[in-house]
Amino acid sequence: MSGNQSLCTKFTFVAFSSLAELQPVLFVVFLLIYLFTVGGNLIIISLIWVSTSLHTPMYFFLVNLSFLEMCYITSVVPQMLVHLLMETKTISVGGCAAQMYTFAILGLTECSLLAAMAYDRFVAICYPLHYTLLMSPRMCLILATASWTTGVVVESAQITWIFSLPFCGTGKIQHFFCDIMPVMKLACVDTSHNRIVMFVLSMIFIMTPCLLILCSYLRILVTILRIPSAAGRHRAFSTCSSHILVVSLFYGTALFTYIQPKTVHTPETDKATALMYTVVTPALNPVIYTLRNKEVKEAFQRVTQRNPLRQMA
């Protein structure tokens, strides 16, 4: 650090500074998406809670995923909505750290949780006779706990390390929330070692679950192709299609953001991909798991049909 630089006590977001006239419109759009996402995931959680037919390992993990998605989008969007209505878009260093802790922990937890869901589909299709034994309530609880613990432990260490760095200069973040790469650019010291460590951690804790998912679905594909009837193959594949779509959306943006080389990062691409994994993907998950899931749609119909208000009508 040079002697004439002062440490930052707050950061300023400048992501939407060039879109001043569109900020009211963006506020309405992101507010509607946020309400839809939270409402959709609450409906999924409530539906699984009241429908005994959905009390299975697959939907136990879906409850965890829906709760995680609500927390994930809440860690970013409400603050972004407030800033869209304000001229000065600032956040304290402590507030920035809290936001980064939250979304980073939830993001890594989702990686592990998606791998646990892939393992559940692998056992259900490849070893159906042993499914109740291998995916017992105790095993489901262990897998979910391990997913959350991995996210908390790994990301707490990484984010604590990042915020041990000194930040100085203008404190302007070329983003709409405290993402890792834009914040690290404000450090007064050389962060090359931090970037290397972050890349290695990303490779280990993002790619390992991704490889487990790929291996699971390769085995699932081989098993499905051996099913003699077309109806049987379609039924087996339909139980995985929703999860495959969610995995593709999540890992597509995660790999593009955290695995690509430093030279590829630009403020524009960072903001575009961040909007995908913080706003768009959480909003699509309820749609994917309701419109493409026959069991969820049937449970929803049963619940609405026995609604007392509907019966009176």
Side-chain angles (χ1 to χ4, degrees), residues 86-130:
M86 298 174 62
E87 184 175 350
T88 305
K89 311 176 194 308
T90 60
I91 186 173
S92 66
V93 173
C96 185
Q99 185 180 60
M100 192 181 294
Y101 273 114
T102 304
F103 89 82
I105 287 171
L106 293 172
L108 185 55
T109 299
E110 185 164 355
C111 290
S112 303
L113 197 58
L114 290 174
M117 296 174 77
Y119 174 73
D120 169 71
R121 293 298 84 207
F122 162 73
V123 175
I125 294 175
C126 299
Y127 300 97
L129 299 179
H130 300 89

Side-chain angles (χ1 to χ4, degrees), residues 33-46 70 286:
I33 293 175
Y34 175 71
L35 294 176
F36 173 81
T37 303
V38 173
N41 282 296
L42 281 175
I43 289 173
I44 290 176
I45 293 173
S46 302
M70 284 194 302

Side-chain angles (χ1 to χ4, degrees), residues 100-110 112 144-162 197 201 204-205:
M100 192 181 294
Y101 273 114
T102 304
F103 89 82
I105 287 171
L106 293 172
L108 185 55
T109 299
E110 185 164 355
S112 303
T145 303
S147 299
W148 286 94
T149 302
T150 300
V152 170
V153 172
V154 174
E155 291 300 338
S156 293
Q158 180 175 242
I159 304 307
T160 300
W161 187 20
I162 290 174
V197 171
L201 289 175
I204 294 173
F205 292 102

